[in-house]
Amino acid sequence: MLGLAAVVVVLRVPAMFGGDVGFWAEEGRVYFQYAWHHGVWAAIGAPHQGYFSLVPNFATAMATMAPLEYAPVVAVVVAAAVQVSVLALLVYGRAVLFESPVRRVLAVAIVLLAARTDEIWFNTITSQFHLSLAAALVLLEPTACASRARRIVMRMVLVVAGLTGPAAASLTPLFVWMGWSGRDRERLIQAGLLALCAGVQVAMMLNASGPSNVIERMDGLDLTTLTSISGIRTMIFPFFGMDATRSAIGMLERAYYQGSSTWFGVGLASLGLQAAVVAFLALGSGAARERWSLAGAYVVLVTVSVLGATGSDPERLVFIKPGMSPRYFYAPTAIIALLVLSSVRFETRALARFRTALGCLLVAGLLSVGAHHWTTVPTLGSDWSAEVALWRTDWRHALAIRPNGWKIRLFPRPIALPRKRTPPT
């Protein structure tokens, strides 16, 4: 199952079969360029983009140790390892919600198809979104009978995830709640590790921009804008497709022009509806704590995702469109879809039968929409080997990376000459 899932991941990037790889956006212009000029150890510990991101730091630092022609291959291998590791948590995990082989297969299919994710395949700057999903999956893993090796692996996943972006670190309160309410020592250890990572991220963000940056990100983000983006991007589009999305956007546009009271009323109704949906999916018999923790992970990550996406654009409402920055909504979409899958339980009670029938329809709709909007990642840039060849003839040449329009400038490194030995007198 894991091998087939890895093949599907590679199929999203057909250029991989021909070895046509390159750095992607900030991965090259920010991370690799810094690592090239400052060295491996400085690059691994450097904050960028206002927070600390371990995976791209490590990958690009290692890339500087390879011949320049093959440097992007190192980053691609690290990004692929992260994505396959997330899938391995589902394939080899022991979460009660996905205990049967059929559920496990469907869970893997959901992670591969749940969202329109054109831009998060095989580049390390988006590994944080895969790892935030991994942190939520660790929250579902039982700790009582886990072996020492499994516990160490889960701790390592959380540390890497927490140090590769703020999203995974924001799940700290859920780990604390699960550990404290269940008197679970191992879960409290996980919470402590994630809390340390959260402290690092907060310190980096405050040092980079200060508290005013948080206020700027929330400026103009009212209740209706927040709930509209979260509802359309993680519930309507993934499960019902583009036609339903266009209808929802049209209704929002009409409400926007009818005045502030109507606009606020729409936001309040949207919040209530989404809360009711999440609560309905989390209710049920068996593994209730796991479902509620999954629901909590969705609420936290969708909020962080909306704030992260809208903070980059003053026109907040543009993010209701499915094509706008889909990377931010990958993890919460996958989590709400897994929550839908967990509600499918064949029981005799009428409400349970209704929940199961609804869950089956929603899972089928999600997989259908995901397959319909299946996209492969185009090359969208110059050939890296050709760019390196031009740079070697003239180091002032700016190397073009992907997507089109992005470039990096590298100064040649000094050549280490062998020491001259003084002949004996």
Side-chain angles (χ1 to χ4, degrees):
M1 191 191 306
L2 185 61
L4 289 174
V7 169
V8 173
V9 171
V10 176
L11 288 174
R12 298 297 291 259
V13 193
M16 284 290 298
F17 291 103
D20 184 13
V21 297
F23 289 115
W24 181 264
E26 290 93 345
E27 183 181 51
R29 192 167 72 183
V30 176
Y31 292 92
F32 180 74
Q33 185 171 273
Y34 183 91
W36 178 269
H37 293 128
H38 292 83
V40 171
W41 294 111
I44 291 176
H48 297 290
Q49 311 294 107
Y51 55 88
F52 185 72
S53 196
L54 178 62
V55 168
N57 275 3
F58 173 79
T60 52
M62 294 299 103
T64 62
M65 302 175 67
L68 188 56
E69 289 83 356
Y70 301 104
V73 176
V74 178
V76 165
V77 169
V78 174
V82 168
Q83 293 176 221
V84 174
S85 298
V86 177
L87 294 168
L89 283 174
L90 284 172
V91 174
Y92 296 106
R94 295 175 178 173
V96 179
L97 298 179
F98 315 115
E99 73 279 7
S100 70
V102 174
R103 285 180 182 277
R104 211 174 289 272
V105 170
L106 289 174
V108 170
I110 282 171
V111 169
L112 292 173
L113 295 173
R116 180 174 175 173
T117 51
D118 321 39
E119 57 185 359
I120 67 168
W121 303 103
F122 283 3
N123 65 79
T124 57
I125 57 172
T126 57
S127 293
Q128 60 172 309
F129 304 109
H130 295 282
L131 288 169
S132 61
L133 174 59
L137 294 177
V138 170
L139 192 61
L140 303 179
E141 286 292 309
T143 58
C145 301
S147 65
R148 189 168 184 271
R150 181 175 284 265
R151 293 183 182 189
I152 292 174
V153 169
M154 296 303 165
R155 294 174 190 176
M156 291 174 61
V157 169
L158 288 177
V159 170
V160 173
L163 293 178
T164 310
S170 66
L171 296 174
T172 301
L174 286 175
F175 279 85
V176 172
W177 174 74
M178 288 287 285
W180 179 79
S181 62
R183 302 294 187 268
D184 190 332
R185 181 176 177 273
E186 178 60 24
R187 195 70 77 197
L188 288 174
I189 292 174
Q190 294 175 350
L193 292 173
L194 205 53
L196 290 175
C197 298
V200 171
Q201 297 295 355
V202 170
M204 294 291 182
M205 288 188 287
L206 291 178
N207 183 62
S209 55
S212 61
N213 183 257
V214 178
I215 298 174
E216 290 175 4
R217 284 180 175 270
M218 298 183 67
D219 184 36
L221 189 63
D222 54 46
L223 175 66
T224 307
T225 302
L226 174 65
T227 56
S228 299
I229 295 172
S230 63
I232 288 176
R233 298 300 297 272
T234 65
M235 292 185 179
I236 295 178
F237 173 70
F239 290 95
F240 302 102
M242 188 61 75
D243 290 338
T245 300
R246 291 194 186 99
S247 299
I249 292 175
M251 288 188 290
L252 281 171
E253 290 176 347
R254 288 191 291 272
Y256 182 81
Y257 290 110
Q258 286 177 6
S260 58
S261 59
T262 303
W263 182 249
F264 178 75
V266 169
L268 203 59
S270 177
L271 177 64
L273 181 61
Q274 291 179 52
V277 169
V278 173
F280 176 76
L281 293 174
L283 290 171
S285 59
R289 284 172 54 82
E290 286 76 8
R291 282 203 301 278
W292 278 109
S293 63
L294 201 59
Y298 166 76
V299 172
V300 171
L301 288 180
V302 78
T303 305
V304 171
S305 298
V306 173
L307 291 176
T310 56
S312 61
D313 197 318
E315 297 294 331
R316 316 294 191 189
L317 264 177
V318 299
F319 291 96
I320 62 175
K321 300 177 181 178
M324 288 294 296
S325 301
R327 63 188 182 276
Y328 287 100
F329 303 96
Y330 170 70
T333 301
I335 289 173
I336 194 68
L338 292 174
L339 187 58
V340 170
L341 177 63
S342 71
S343 68
V344 178
R345 297 193 172 274
F346 298 97
E347 300 175 3
T348 57
R349 293 179 300 128
L351 183 60
R353 288 201 300 268
F354 172 74
R355 185 182 288 110
T356 297
L358 181 61
C360 289
L361 290 174
L362 289 175
V363 169
L366 178 127
L367 296 179
S368 175
V369 171
H372 179 72
H373 290 281
W374 173 272
T375 54
T376 57
V377 182
T379 302
L380 293 176
S382 302
D383 179 78
W384 174 256
S385 298
E387 290 294 308
V388 172
L390 291 173
W391 180 83
R392 292 200 184 281
T393 61
D394 181 6
W395 63 266
R396 291 168 294 187
H397 171 72
L399 294 92
I401 58 174
R402 298 165 182 174
N404 282 320
W406 289 72
K407 295 183 178 181
I408 59 176
R409 294 187 177 275
L410 303 179
F411 292 98
R413 290 174 164 180
I415 300 174
L417 298 175
R419 291 184 178 180
K420 291 183 179 180
R421 293 187 177 182
T422 305
T425 56

